[in-house]
Amino acid sequence: MQFTVLGSGAGLPSKKRHTQSYVLDSVDEINQYIMIDAGEALQHRILHTGIKPSKVRNIFITHLHGDHIYGLPGFLSSRAHQGGEDVPLTVYGPRGLAQWLEVTFEISGSRLNYPLEIIEITHGECIEMDGFKVHVHLLDHNIDSFLYVFDENDKKGALDPEKLKRIGLEPGPAYARIKNAETFEFNGETYHTADFTGPDITGRKIAVHGDTRVITTPEYMSLLDGSDLIVHEGTYLDGEREKAHRYFHSEITDVLENFKSINYGSLLITHLSNRYEDGFLDELEAKLPSNVYITHDFFEHPISRNSQGNK
């Protein structure tokens, strides 16, 4: 599983940073990509990757500001001509998303050749999809903006072939049947599969924020605790805490201070103002903890338990 930042900039795009779009690559786990936000020029960003639009089956929109949604109609339309025919897609997002897309498609005369479902989400709900439970939490922004926490389902532990060999059962097709059953029979005896498997594999937890001020409520902190990856905005990176608060955004020092009370694997800082030069960002990142990363367009981060990504 891997997290890719297609656009890392805030508000206005720059020559080096496009606006917000992320992809959670879960092809190895559930044979699909999960997209979070769809900033302007999303189609062009994807052309520079190996991502197949037809394998994007679920899109999660954090909020309806333009830098997070202006690439969505174009992506949905082009997907229809990039292997997406008859391949269903679901888009989740705040109230108003369905109306905006419906009007956009109607006025532009756009037609899709695949089933599209638009689901408007609310604070506190839990969405169940292939391989994940997705928790929805309202953030603190000047319009409704949401955090999505992707909780990967736990998996059964691997079969222990040595234990199976001890009862005389050699490797073969029977192993697959045994793993998917609670009990199995061999040589007239009934066995419990759990006695021949390792411990369950705990699913990973990925928390992706929309735009927000720093939040300190117990409910929010509990939801983030134990995340293997947190993605959080850092529109302000140079100590302007009051300005960040005034404009409903976050300053990196406040974010880091807030997360000291929870356990997490890695933290990606994104949604960066285009006023920050590369030199400043390099100096800042050198001072950060080793599990905190200032992202850029096409930043890739493998996700595993207590993951440490590549800068």
Side-chain angles (χ1 to χ4, degrees):
M1 190 181 297
Q2 176 173 279
F3 192 87
T4 299
V5 177
L6 295 177
S8 60
L12 295 175
S14 67
K15 290 181 179 179
K16 292 187 176 181
R17 294 183 185 274
H18 286 65
T19 52
Q20 298 293 285
S21 299
Y22 312 123
V23 170
L24 179 59
D25 181 346
S26 54
V27 171
D28 287 345
E29 290 77 17
I30 57 172
N31 196 33
Q32 66 170 276
Y33 298 101
I34 300 169
M35 183 177 289
I36 303 100
D37 283 344
E40 190 177 353
L42 170 61
Q43 296 178 77
H44 297 276
R45 301 278 85 189
I46 289 176
L47 291 175
H48 294 278
T49 72
I51 296 167
K52 295 181 179 180
S54 62
K55 284 197 173 184
V56 176
R57 307 291 172 81
N58 293 274
I59 299 176
F60 292 82
I61 300 298
T62 62
H63 64 295
L64 300 185
H65 277 155
D67 55 325
H68 295 254
I69 64 169
Y70 282 166
L72 183 58
F75 173 80
L76 295 177
S77 297
S78 64
R79 181 181 183 270
H81 307 287
Q82 295 176 303
E85 184 175 1
D86 297 326
V87 181
L89 187 149
T90 304
V91 181
Y92 301 89
R95 183 170 59 88
L97 177 63
Q99 180 184 6
W100 178 68
L101 284 175
E102 288 165 4
V103 170
T104 298
F105 287 136
E106 179 181 353
I107 292 176
S108 65
S110 301
R111 297 290 182 268
L112 303 182
N113 59 8
Y114 59 86
L116 174 66
E117 184 176 13
I118 304 167
I119 298 176
E120 296 185 341
I121 48 87
T122 58
H123 170 71
E125 71 177 287
C126 179
I127 300 163
E128 295 201 21
M129 54 169 286
D130 289 345
F132 292 90
K133 292 181 177 64
V134 186
H135 302 277
V136 180
H137 191 91
L138 183 65
L139 298 171
D140 186 2
H141 197 45
N142 58 353
I143 65 171
D144 282 357
S145 180
F146 290 92
L147 160 72
Y148 294 111
V149 179
F150 297 85
D151 256 326
E152 184 185 21
N153 295 341
D154 294 344
K155 299 175 183 177
K156 289 183 178 181
L159 284 175
D160 187 332
E162 295 305 317
K163 287 185 177 180
L164 289 168
K165 287 178 184 178
R166 287 185 203 129
I167 64 170
L169 187 54
E170 295 296 326
Y175 277 29
R177 294 194 298 272
I178 290 170
K179 186 171 183 179
N180 294 320
E182 292 186 6
T183 62
F184 65 94
E185 292 187 3
F186 179 67
N187 284 345
E189 296 285 339
T190 300
Y191 298 92
H192 291 278
T193 302
D195 295 334
F196 297 85
T197 59
D200 286 352
I201 301 169
T202 304
R204 287 157 286 192
K205 184 176 181 180
I206 302 100
V208 185
H209 292 74
D211 292 1
T212 185
R213 290 168 169 167
V214 169
I215 299 174
T216 60
T217 64
E219 179 186 10
Y220 165 79
M221 299 302 288
S222 176
L223 188 59
L224 287 187
D225 196 24
S227 294
D228 299 288
L229 176 66
I230 299 176
V231 182
H232 198 288
E233 70 133 288
T235 310
Y236 295 89
L237 300 172
D238 50 1
E240 295 182 280
R241 292 176 170 178
E242 292 183 5
K243 189 173 183 180
H245 188 80
R246 186 164 68 249
Y247 289 105
F248 293 89
H249 285 292
S250 297
E251 194 276 332
I252 188 172
T253 307
D254 280 346
V255 175
L256 294 175
E257 188 66 29
N258 192 36
F259 290 165
K260 283 183 177 179
S261 64
I262 62 172
N263 175 49
Y264 63 92
S266 296
L267 170 63
L268 306 188
I269 299 296
T270 186
H271 199 271
L272 310 180
S273 169
N274 61 16
R275 63 197 174 108
Y276 297 117
E277 301 291 338
D278 289 344
F280 169 80
L281 295 176
D282 291 341
E283 291 180 7
L284 173 62
E285 190 170 32
K287 299 174 185 176
L288 296 175
S290 61
N291 64 334
V292 179
Y293 303 85
I294 303 294
T295 65
H296 50 77
D297 288 15
F298 302 118
F299 180 100
E300 296 179 341
H301 186 92
I303 306 169
S304 57
R305 278 288 168 190
N306 297 315
S307 59
Q308 298 290 321
N310 297 317
K311 295 189 180 183

